[in-house]
Amino acid sequence: MKIQKLKAVIWAMLIATGSIGFACAADDVVIADFESETYGDWMVTGNSFGDGPAVGTLTDQMPVSGFSGKRLVNSYFGGDDSTGTLTSPPFKINRHFLNFLIGGGGHQGRTCVQLMIDGKPVLEATGTNTIPGGSEMLSPDYWDVSKWDGMDAQIQIIDQMQGGWGHINVDEFVLSDEKPATQAMDRNFVVEQDYLLIPIRNGAPKVKLEVSVDGKPIRRYETELATSPDNVDWYAYFTLSEHRGKTVNVTVSQATESGFALIKASDIIPSSDQRYDESLRPQFHFSQRVGWINDPNGMVYLDGEWHLYFQHNPVGWSWGNMTWGHAVSSDLIHWKQLPNVLFPGTMAKGACFSGGAVVDAANTGGWKSGEQDTLVAFLTDTGAGEAIAFSNDRGRTFTWHDQNPVVKHKGRDPKVVWYAYDDSDTPVDDEAKKLDGHWVMAVYDESPEFGNNTAFYTSTNLKDWTPQSHLPGYFECPELFELSVSGVAGQSRWVTFAADGKYAIGQFDGRKFTPDHEDKHQLHHGEFYASQTFDHAPDGRRIQIGWIRIDMPGMPFNQAFSFPHQLTLKETKDGIRMFAAPVQEIEKLRGTTHSIDGKALSADQPVQLPISGELFELEATFELGDAKQVGIDIGGNRIVYDTAAQTWMSAFAPTSDRRVQFRALIDRSQLEIWGNDGAVVISGERKIRGEVNEIVSFAEGGTARLVSLKVHELKSIWER
């Protein structure tokens, strides 16, 4: 017994560091911790449990978490088709409860743990998973065994299930007079309000959360649940208004009673009157109400609305639970966030990774059900492959295509565009001739032959896809579009790039992209990543939004997007290059304008322009003279051109006439710069924040001239 007590003390130390899911008192009795290489006196049958406890995750298994120490019972040896049992030697029941950790399959009698008295099962527990998706996380559970006090018992772990979730994960059997501090909980209620609120504690142990309506799962997430009203950092929310009058069940794998009580229905989101005015909240860049975002997705224009979908963790401050969030705008400036549309585990088999969207105006997919053109989204279902969902209600809700995946390969992030034939094209089949074009999917691909590459597929019906070619040297989030060359009548080029934004200009014949040059060109610098452009724009503009990778500590939201900007192609002395500029709609936000012209600059002669505010648009032009640097200081944030290196903030932007120019947008937490008429774009964090009362123009290492400086005070896009 002394050894058992020592182990219990060690358990308590592990609990203090969050290593296991429940605490053990000093007089608890550890039946098994499964930390040895073998099962010892436990009896094994079949082949699903292996020769001894598993060291965490097994081959081809999703990541296993929530177990104690280094090992656990994991019946995924041999995959989901293996079967077997694992039975303990007899032990005496001498405490009120038998506590344990359990996960995996949720099939009664087939993937389960049973308490055996006189050789017969008297209690049973299973994992929580029965359908594709889900998680391998173990959670605390317990049995009240007080009625068998003083009797001999055995534990039998059973895997008699083949196929999906045909395995069980178990760890740490402990006899105790205390229940686990946290345990699985569930509650039913009838939907009478718009939202279900979820209390979040950043950094708390992750638990499984599932919401079902009339018995059908609609949300399935892992989240960091708060344990009491005192440690809620922020509230996540699910929109349930479409389910009014229906019965909802909420289940969590692990919660305290006080934490679980905070999961409740509401007609408002807590502190909603303060939303969009937090200290780091972007005031004219789009940001989500709560949770995490990364890649913009499915960017498309339809019937007066710009649709911005995005990679979203609605129940966490960090990456995970990839869901498609949704916002719309009529002017690319003022955004309204709508309910999320594509969900992991309940729509997709896995997570809903990045992709694009198109308007299927000719109904090539055959999904149109009314007068409204169908909006078709393409995404990576991490549990299957490239998938389709379609909407006939202007992108508000989507139907999952019942024949997904439409492309299966090692890769992700499909972007689909329409390729129209001209007189020089040879259609590939009769259907393409009838349509006078075909669909093209550009998708990130990995293969032994081409390495990291963009693969191109074609289709006439959006469902059946034929591989055509590969373009090596690209990683994640491909983009493909055609642009006219500014000022050159009848000239256009195709452009492709991936997540890092480094692009190639070339020719595309509907099946293969051929670059006009070696290597790649670079427009974007800084924290800009995984951008996408709007499809089906009504005015022919090519408008881009990207993810700006900056943390928002202490906020209920994290990360943000770039301001929308228009892409153009221009002839330069080095050939055709891509340029960018903020969309002209920025003018709607302009308030008071301050300006100054024609001022000499030197190290001891800066020029101050008095202003007042926090949000600005700047336009500045300099003649370099013999200065080593010129630039602008905005409340301690310096925008600098190095004349020897010919760089704006380390981004190479050469000048041939000793004259440079930039535009900048300064938001609460972001700073974006378009240098030399948009030859380079630098996106990143505004390091020094707050109100600014002057803009300082300067030159260092010589003299220069401030040709012009114009500062527009900007208004917030968020309604107060």
Side-chain angles (χ1 to χ4, degrees):
M1 184 60 71
K2 289 182 179 180
I3 294 175
Q4 297 285 19
K5 287 184 177 181
L6 177 60
K7 290 180 70 176
V9 171
I10 294 172
W11 271 39
M13 294 173 63
L14 290 171
I15 285 291
T17 62
S19 299
I20 59 176
F22 49 81
C24 301
D27 59 352
D28 288 348
V29 179
V30 179
I31 301 301
D33 60 9
F34 301 109
E35 288 301 296
S36 300
E37 293 184 1
T38 70
Y39 290 118
D41 293 337
W42 287 59
M43 183 176 67
V44 182
T45 68
N47 60 351
S48 61
F49 292 96
D51 295 329
V55 182
T57 306
L58 295 174
T59 303
D60 296 328
Q61 188 178 24
M62 292 191 298
V64 178
S65 62
F67 58 96
S68 171
K70 295 182 178 180
R71 299 175 184 269
L72 76 154
V73 174
N74 182 343
S75 74
Y76 198 75
F77 284 96
D80 269 336
D81 286 338
S82 59
T83 60
T85 63
L86 181 63
T87 307
S88 76
F91 61 92
K92 191 172 294 292
I93 295 176
N94 55 11
R95 299 291 187 273
H96 286 94
F97 304 103
L98 179 58
N99 300 332
F100 51 93
L101 300 166
I102 188 168
H107 307 283
Q108 291 186 353
R110 293 184 292 172
T111 55
C112 63
V113 178
Q114 293 180 342
L115 181 69
M116 312 290 289
I117 303 290
D118 294 332
K120 297 180 180 179
V122 295
L123 293 172
E124 180 177 292
T126 71
T128 58
N129 303 284
T130 58
I131 61 177
S135 164
E136 297 279 9
M137 180 188 296
L138 282 73
S139 300
D141 203 346
Y142 74 96
W143 290 318
D144 184 340
V145 294
S146 56
K147 67 184 292 183
W148 295 287
D149 184 41
M151 298 182 66
D152 288 336
Q154 288 177 283
I155 297 165
Q156 186 168 71
I157 305 171
I158 297 172
D159 177 358
Q160 294 297 329
M161 174 75 184
Q162 293 183 315
W165 286 110
H167 66 278
I168 187 78
N169 303 324
V170 187
D171 201 8
E172 299 289 7
F173 288 98
V174 181
L175 283 167
S176 176
D177 285 327
E178 300 290 337
K179 300 177 186 178
T182 60
Q183 55 194 273
M185 296 186 182
D186 75 297
R187 181 171 69 247
N188 293 325
F189 64 93
V190 176
V191 178
E192 297 177 345
Q193 296 166 295
D194 287 342
Y195 304 109
L196 180 67
L197 305 183
I198 315 296
I200 304 298
R201 175 67 172 179
N202 294 333
K206 289 186 177 180
V207 304
K208 290 184 285 187
L209 168 69
E210 183 172 289
V211 179
S212 299
V213 175
D214 291 343
K216 180 181 179 182
I218 62 166
R219 305 288 183 270
R220 183 177 286 145
Y221 291 106
E222 290 186 3
T223 188
E224 299 163 331
L225 199 64
T227 57
S228 74
D230 297 331
N231 64 13
V232 178
D233 285 326
W234 53 279
Y235 278 90
Y237 67 96
F238 299 145
T239 303
L240 296 181
S241 51
E242 66 177 293
H243 302 294
R244 279 184 177 269
K246 297 180 181 179
T247 299
V248 166
N249 174 264
V250 180
T251 301
V252 296
S253 62
Q254 187 175 344
T256 62
E257 291 184 3
S258 59
F260 189 65
L262 296 173
I263 301 176
K264 58 187 178 182
S266 175
D267 277 326
I268 63 169
I269 302 167
S271 303
S272 60
D273 57 331
Q274 301 298 317
R275 291 295 182 220
Y276 305 121
D277 200 26
E278 300 94 340
S279 61
L280 299 183
R281 173 71 68 178
Q283 295 297 289
F284 56 87
H285 293 76
F286 172 77
S287 61
Q288 71 290 7
R289 185 185 293 271
V290 298
W292 163 280
I293 57 170
N294 50 291
D295 309 356
N297 290 159
M299 291 167 52
V300 68
Y301 181 89
L302 175 63
D303 289 350
E305 291 182 321
W306 301 90
H307 289 265
L308 176 60
Y309 299 96
F310 48 89
Q311 289 284 277
H312 186 31
N313 183 356
V315 295
W317 192 81
S318 301
W319 184 93
N321 296 313
M322 286 293 94
T323 300
W324 273 35
H326 186 203
V328 295
S329 174
S330 61
D331 63 1
L332 290 169
I333 300 292
H334 299 88
W335 294 94
K336 179 181 180 181
Q337 186 170 342
L338 300 177
N340 299 331
V341 293
L342 299 177
F343 303 99
T346 54
M347 291 182 74
K349 290 184 177 180
C352 296
F353 270 27
S354 292
V358 299
V359 176
D360 187 12
N363 195 28
T364 62
W367 292 302
K368 188 173 182 177
S369 61
E371 295 300 317
Q372 179 67 52
D373 284 342
T374 304
L375 193 157
V376 184
F378 293 83
L379 68 153
T380 300
D381 175 353
T382 59
E386 312 311 338
I388 291 172
F390 58 91
S391 171
N392 285 304
D393 61 359
R394 298 168 54 238
R396 268 60 178 176
T397 62
F398 283 81
T399 300
W400 198 254
H401 177 44
D402 59 7
Q403 298 299 311
N404 281 329
V406 294
V407 172
K408 198 164 187 177
H409 69 131
K410 188 175 182 181
R412 56 185 178 274
D413 311 332
K415 178 66 188 284
V416 174
V417 300
W418 177 255
Y419 181 82
Y421 296 149
D422 59 32
D423 292 340
S424 65
D425 288 309
T426 302
V428 293
D429 56 38
D430 290 340
E431 185 64 22
K433 289 179 183 178
K434 183 176 71 175
L435 295 171
D436 202 25
H438 62 248
W439 297 102
V440 175
M441 178 190 292
V443 61
Y444 170 61
D445 181 78
E446 298 174 354
S447 70
E449 183 177 0
F450 298 103
N452 296 340
N453 71 92
T454 296
F456 298 95
Y457 292 73
T458 58
S459 174
T460 56
N461 62 9
L462 294 173
K463 304 170 185 176
D464 304 305
W465 294 88
T466 302
Q468 298 290 351
S469 64
H470 295 263
L471 182 64
Y474 291 80
F475 181 75
E476 295 188 329
C477 304
E479 179 63 279
L480 177 70
F481 53 83
E482 187 178 19
L483 269 181
S484 298
V485 180
S486 298
V488 183
Q491 284 271 4
S492 68
R493 293 290 189 276
W494 284 82
V495 179
T496 192
F497 53 80
D500 65 2
K502 294 180 181 179
Y503 67 95
I505 295 170
Q507 315 297 320
F508 185 66
D509 64 4
R511 292 166 288 279
K512 181 179 180 180
F513 186 94
T514 304
D516 289 346
H517 52 87
E518 295 182 0
D519 301 322
K520 300 175 188 176
H521 304 315
Q522 185 168 2
L523 171 64
H524 289 284
H525 302 260
E527 297 302 322
F528 188 91
Y529 195 74
S531 68
Q532 196 169 115
T533 65
F534 283 98
D535 192 63
H536 209 244
D539 48 15
R541 291 185 293 171
R542 182 58 57 174
I543 296 170
Q544 181 183 38
I545 293 177
W547 168 28
I548 298 183
R549 298 174 294 181
I550 54 176
D551 284 344
M552 304 291 186
M555 299 294 103
F557 62 95
N558 193 16
Q559 311 292 300
F561 283 167
S562 72
F563 190 79
H565 47 259
Q566 182 176 354
L567 300 176
T568 54
L569 292 181
K570 297 180 183 180
E571 287 273 14
T572 74
K573 65 180 180 62
D574 297 316
I576 298 173
R577 295 292 186 270
M578 192 159 64
F579 287 69
V583 294
Q584 64 191 31
E585 286 86 347
I586 187 65
E587 297 174 6
K588 293 184 176 185
L589 299 180
R590 289 176 180 171
T592 302
T593 297
H594 311 265
S595 63
I596 192 169
D597 300 309
K599 296 292 184 178
L601 299 172
S602 64
D604 58 357
Q605 191 179 3
V607 173
Q608 292 86 19
L609 177 62
I611 59 169
S612 178
E614 184 183 19
L615 315 173
F616 306 102
E617 177 191 5
L618 275 70
E619 302 173 84
T621 302
F622 298 88
E623 291 177 352
L624 299 177
D626 62 357
K628 293 183 178 180
Q629 291 186 340
V630 298
I632 298 287
D633 187 299
I634 310 143
N637 298 281
R638 287 163 57 94
I639 299 173
V640 179
Y641 187 81
D642 186 305
T643 59
Q646 299 189 86
T647 56
W648 280 112
M649 312 293 284
S650 301
F652 185 61
T655 177
S656 58
D657 58 2
R658 302 292 293 174
R659 188 181 179 103
V660 294
Q661 175 270 349
F662 79 86
R663 291 178 72 179
L665 294 179
I666 296 90
D667 208 333
R668 279 189 179 171
S669 52
Q670 295 150 283
L671 192 155
E672 291 185 277
I673 305 160
W674 290 260
N676 293 4
D677 292 318
V680 295
V681 185
I682 305 104
S683 303
E685 182 179 5
R686 179 181 178 180
K687 300 289 187 181
I688 303 173
R689 307 182 180 98
E691 297 283 327
V692 177
N693 56 27
E694 68 175 9
I695 302 288
V696 180
S697 305
F698 61 85
E700 296 177 353
T703 61
R705 180 178 176 82
L706 176 64
V707 177
S708 65
L709 171 63
K710 190 176 289 186
V711 179
H712 307 285
E713 296 178 11
L714 297 181
K715 296 173 286 188
S716 171
I717 65 174
W718 305 116
E719 295 181 2
R720 297 289 180 243

mmCIF file of all heavy atoms in Angstrom, residues 130-131 188-189 210-220 243 246-251 346:
data_model
loop_
_atom_site.group_PDB
_atom_site.id
_atom_site.type_symbol
_atom_site.label_atom_id
_atom_site.label_comp_id
_atom_site.label_asym_id
_atom_site.label_seq_id
_atom_site.Cartn_x
_atom_site.Cartn_y
_atom_site.Cartn_z
ATOM 1 N N THR A 130 -18.812 8.134 -32.974
ATOM 2 C CA THR A 130 -19.474 7.079 -33.752
ATOM 3 C C THR A 130 -19.528 7.392 -35.241
ATOM 4 O O THR A 130 -19.812 6.507 -36.037
ATOM 5 C CB THR A 130 -20.911 6.851 -33.252
ATOM 6 O OG1 THR A 130 -21.644 8.078 -33.352
ATOM 7 C CG2 THR A 130 -20.912 6.358 -31.813
ATOM 8 N N ILE A 131 -19.289 8.667 -35.632
ATOM 9 C CA ILE A 131 -19.349 9.060 -37.041
ATOM 10 C C ILE A 131 -18.039 9.731 -37.423
ATOM 11 O O ILE A 131 -17.257 10.127 -36.560
ATOM 12 C CB ILE A 131 -20.537 10.000 -37.316
ATOM 13 C CG1 ILE A 131 -20.409 11.297 -36.492
ATOM 14 C CG2 ILE A 131 -21.855 9.308 -36.998
ATOM 15 C CD1 ILE A 131 -21.513 12.296 -36.770
ATOM 16 N N ASN A 188 -30.181 19.352 -22.297
ATOM 17 C CA ASN A 188 -31.132 19.611 -23.374
ATOM 18 C C ASN A 188 -31.897 20.897 -23.095
ATOM 19 O O ASN A 188 -32.190 21.218 -21.938
ATOM 20 C CB ASN A 188 -32.145 18.471 -23.510
ATOM 21 C CG ASN A 188 -31.513 17.183 -23.986
ATOM 22 O OD1 ASN A 188 -30.584 17.195 -24.780
ATOM 23 N ND2 ASN A 188 -32.014 16.062 -23.507
ATOM 24 N N PHE A 189 -32.231 21.632 -24.161
ATOM 25 C CA PHE A 189 -33.137 22.767 -24.018
ATOM 26 C C PHE A 189 -33.776 23.058 -25.367
ATOM 27 O O PHE A 189 -33.277 22.651 -26.419
ATOM 28 C CB PHE A 189 -32.413 24.010 -23.483
ATOM 29 C CG PHE A 189 -31.341 24.554 -24.390
ATOM 30 C CD1 PHE A 189 -31.630 25.549 -25.315
ATOM 31 C CD2 PHE A 189 -30.037 24.088 -24.302
ATOM 32 C CE1 PHE A 189 -30.648 26.054 -26.144
ATOM 33 C CE2 PHE A 189 -29.050 24.593 -25.122
ATOM 34 C CZ PHE A 189 -29.352 25.578 -26.049
ATOM 35 N N GLU A 210 -19.947 19.302 -28.300
ATOM 36 C CA GLU A 210 -20.824 18.929 -29.412
ATOM 37 C C GLU A 210 -22.213 19.491 -29.169
ATOM 38 O O GLU A 210 -22.744 19.435 -28.056
ATOM 39 C CB GLU A 210 -20.891 17.413 -29.577
ATOM 40 C CG GLU A 210 -21.746 16.974 -30.765
ATOM 41 C CD GLU A 210 -21.644 15.488 -31.047
ATOM 42 O OE1 GLU A 210 -20.574 15.054 -31.517
ATOM 43 O OE2 GLU A 210 -22.616 14.760 -30.781
ATOM 44 N N VAL A 211 -22.803 20.051 -30.223
ATOM 45 C CA VAL A 211 -24.170 20.561 -30.176
ATOM 46 C C VAL A 211 -24.985 19.793 -31.206
ATOM 47 O O VAL A 211 -24.592 19.693 -32.374
ATOM 48 C CB VAL A 211 -24.224 22.074 -30.476
ATOM 49 C CG1 VAL A 211 -25.665 22.574 -30.457
ATOM 50 C CG2 VAL A 211 -23.381 22.843 -29.476
ATOM 51 N N SER A 212 -26.113 19.225 -30.762
ATOM 52 C CA SER A 212 -27.008 18.479 -31.649
ATOM 53 C C SER A 212 -28.385 19.131 -31.645
ATOM 54 O O SER A 212 -28.820 19.670 -30.622
ATOM 55 C CB SER A 212 -27.132 17.018 -31.199
ATOM 56 O OG SER A 212 -25.880 16.367 -31.226
ATOM 57 N N VAL A 213 -29.049 19.085 -32.780
ATOM 58 C CA VAL A 213 -30.423 19.575 -32.903
ATOM 59 C C VAL A 213 -31.299 18.408 -33.326
ATOM 60 O O VAL A 213 -31.050 17.781 -34.363
ATOM 61 C CB VAL A 213 -30.531 20.724 -33.923
ATOM 62 C CG1 VAL A 213 -31.987 21.129 -34.121
ATOM 63 C CG2 VAL A 213 -29.718 21.924 -33.458
ATOM 64 N N ASP A 214 -32.293 18.121 -32.502
ATOM 65 C CA ASP A 214 -33.184 16.977 -32.754
ATOM 66 C C ASP A 214 -32.385 15.711 -33.033
ATOM 67 O O ASP A 214 -32.702 14.926 -33.932
ATOM 68 C CB ASP A 214 -34.145 17.277 -33.907
ATOM 69 C CG ASP A 214 -35.179 18.333 -33.535
ATOM 70 O OD1 ASP A 214 -35.360 18.584 -32.325
ATOM 71 O OD2 ASP A 214 -35.799 18.905 -34.446
ATOM 72 N N GLY A 215 -31.300 15.528 -32.291
ATOM 73 C CA GLY A 215 -30.497 14.318 -32.388
ATOM 74 C C GLY A 215 -29.426 14.324 -33.448
ATOM 75 O O GLY A 215 -28.639 13.378 -33.532
ATOM 76 N N LYS A 216 -29.341 15.392 -34.270
ATOM 77 C CA LYS A 216 -28.336 15.446 -35.342
ATOM 78 C C LYS A 216 -27.236 16.424 -34.957
ATOM 79 O O LYS A 216 -27.509 17.602 -34.706
ATOM 80 C CB LYS A 216 -28.976 15.892 -36.653
ATOM 81 C CG LYS A 216 -27.982 15.980 -37.805
ATOM 82 C CD LYS A 216 -28.657 16.446 -39.081
ATOM 83 C CE LYS A 216 -27.643 16.562 -40.224
ATOM 84 N NZ LYS A 216 -28.267 17.058 -41.475
ATOM 85 N N PRO A 217 -25.954 15.991 -34.907
ATOM 86 C CA PRO A 217 -24.863 16.911 -34.568
ATOM 87 C C PRO A 217 -24.739 18.036 -35.598
ATOM 88 O O PRO A 217 -24.721 17.785 -36.811
ATOM 89 C CB PRO A 217 -23.623 16.018 -34.583
ATOM 90 C CG PRO A 217 -24.136 14.627 -34.399
ATOM 91 C CD PRO A 217 -25.468 14.613 -35.085
ATOM 92 N N ILE A 218 -24.671 19.287 -35.132
ATOM 93 C CA ILE A 218 -24.481 20.427 -36.034
ATOM 94 C C ILE A 218 -23.174 21.167 -35.767
ATOM 95 O O ILE A 218 -22.704 21.904 -36.636
ATOM 96 C CB ILE A 218 -25.666 21.411 -35.953
ATOM 97 C CG1 ILE A 218 -25.793 21.988 -34.542
ATOM 98 C CG2 ILE A 218 -26.956 20.753 -36.408
ATOM 99 C CD1 ILE A 218 -26.715 23.197 -34.463
ATOM 100 N N ARG A 219 -22.593 21.037 -34.586
ATOM 101 C CA ARG A 219 -21.309 21.658 -34.270
ATOM 102 C C ARG A 219 -20.489 20.658 -33.464
ATOM 103 O O ARG A 219 -20.993 20.025 -32.534
ATOM 104 C CB ARG A 219 -21.483 22.935 -33.441
ATOM 105 C CG ARG A 219 -22.386 23.982 -34.053
ATOM 106 C CD ARG A 219 -21.769 24.674 -35.256
ATOM 107 N NE ARG A 219 -22.662 25.708 -35.740
ATOM 108 C CZ ARG A 219 -23.617 25.516 -36.660
ATOM 109 N NH1 ARG A 219 -23.781 24.301 -37.187
ATOM 110 N NH2 ARG A 219 -24.380 26.514 -37.055
ATOM 111 N N ARG A 220 -19.221 20.549 -33.820
ATOM 112 C CA ARG A 220 -18.334 19.624 -33.107
ATOM 113 C C ARG A 220 -16.950 20.265 -33.062
ATOM 114 O O ARG A 220 -16.287 20.418 -34.087
ATOM 115 C CB ARG A 220 -18.285 18.274 -33.820
ATOM 116 C CG ARG A 220 -17.434 17.234 -33.110
ATOM 117 C CD ARG A 220 -17.487 15.907 -33.822
ATOM 118 N NE ARG A 220 -18.753 15.237 -33.625
ATOM 119 C CZ ARG A 220 -19.361 14.486 -34.541
ATOM 120 N NH1 ARG A 220 -18.840 14.369 -35.739
ATOM 121 N NH2 ARG A 220 -20.499 13.891 -34.273
ATOM 122 N N HIS A 243 -32.892 27.387 -35.748
ATOM 123 C CA HIS A 243 -33.380 26.179 -35.084
ATOM 124 C C HIS A 243 -34.412 26.485 -33.998
ATOM 125 O O HIS A 243 -34.663 25.641 -33.131
ATOM 126 C CB HIS A 243 -32.207 25.412 -34.471
ATOM 127 C CG HIS A 243 -31.154 25.020 -35.461
ATOM 128 N ND1 HIS A 243 -31.387 24.121 -36.479
ATOM 129 C CD2 HIS A 243 -29.853 25.423 -35.596
ATOM 130 C CE1 HIS A 243 -30.286 23.977 -37.191
ATOM 131 N NE2 HIS A 243 -29.344 24.760 -36.682
ATOM 132 N N LYS A 246 -36.762 24.013 -31.760
ATOM 133 C CA LYS A 246 -36.240 22.650 -31.790
ATOM 134 C C LYS A 246 -35.472 22.347 -30.499
ATOM 135 O O LYS A 246 -35.043 23.243 -29.787
ATOM 136 C CB LYS A 246 -35.328 22.452 -32.997
ATOM 137 C CG LYS A 246 -36.055 22.619 -34.340
ATOM 138 C CD LYS A 246 -35.098 22.414 -35.506
ATOM 139 C CE LYS A 246 -35.812 22.591 -36.840
ATOM 140 N NZ LYS A 246 -34.881 22.425 -37.990
ATOM 141 N N THR A 247 -35.285 21.052 -30.232
ATOM 142 C CA THR A 247 -34.561 20.625 -29.038
ATOM 143 C C THR A 247 -33.074 20.529 -29.330
ATOM 144 O O THR A 247 -32.659 19.861 -30.282
ATOM 145 C CB THR A 247 -35.077 19.269 -28.536
ATOM 146 O OG1 THR A 247 -36.456 19.392 -28.198
ATOM 147 C CG2 THR A 247 -34.293 18.816 -27.307
ATOM 148 N N VAL A 248 -32.278 21.210 -28.523
ATOM 149 C CA VAL A 248 -30.824 21.214 -28.660
ATOM 150 C C VAL A 248 -30.209 20.450 -27.489
ATOM 151 O O VAL A 248 -30.646 20.588 -26.347
ATOM 152 C CB VAL A 248 -30.289 22.657 -28.688
ATOM 153 C CG1 VAL A 248 -28.780 22.683 -28.494
ATOM 154 C CG2 VAL A 248 -30.635 23.323 -30.005
ATOM 155 N N ASN A 249 -29.217 19.635 -27.801
ATOM 156 C CA ASN A 249 -28.428 18.955 -26.778
ATOM 157 C C ASN A 249 -27.005 19.477 -26.838
ATOM 158 O O ASN A 249 -26.407 19.549 -27.917
ATOM 159 C CB ASN A 249 -28.432 17.441 -26.989
ATOM 160 C CG ASN A 249 -27.502 16.729 -26.014
ATOM 161 O OD1 ASN A 249 -26.358 16.422 -26.339
ATOM 162 N ND2 ASN A 249 -27.995 16.486 -24.815
ATOM 163 N N VAL A 250 -26.452 19.859 -25.702
ATOM 164 C CA VAL A 250 -25.068 20.308 -25.593
ATOM 165 C C VAL A 250 -24.311 19.297 -24.738
ATOM 166 O O VAL A 250 -24.725 19.002 -23.615
ATOM 167 C CB VAL A 250 -24.968 21.698 -24.951
ATOM 168 C CG1 VAL A 250 -23.515 22.134 -24.856
ATOM 169 C CG2 VAL A 250 -25.773 22.714 -25.744
ATOM 170 N N THR A 251 -23.214 18.770 -25.271
ATOM 171 C CA THR A 251 -22.400 17.786 -24.567
ATOM 172 C C THR A 251 -20.958 18.272 -24.530
ATOM 173 O O THR A 251 -20.429 18.732 -25.547
ATOM 174 C CB THR A 251 -22.453 16.426 -25.275
ATOM 175 O OG1 THR A 251 -23.801 15.976 -25.344
ATOM 176 C CG2 THR A 251 -21.623 15.397 -24.531
ATOM 177 N N THR A 346 -19.124 17.905 -38.873
ATOM 178 C CA THR A 346 -20.553 17.674 -39.081
ATOM 179 C C THR A 346 -20.957 17.865 -40.541
ATOM 180 O O THR A 346 -21.891 17.228 -41.003
ATOM 181 C CB THR A 346 -21.395 18.617 -38.203
ATOM 182 O OG1 THR A 346 -21.011 19.976 -38.437
ATOM 183 C CG2 THR A 346 -21.192 18.289 -36.733
#
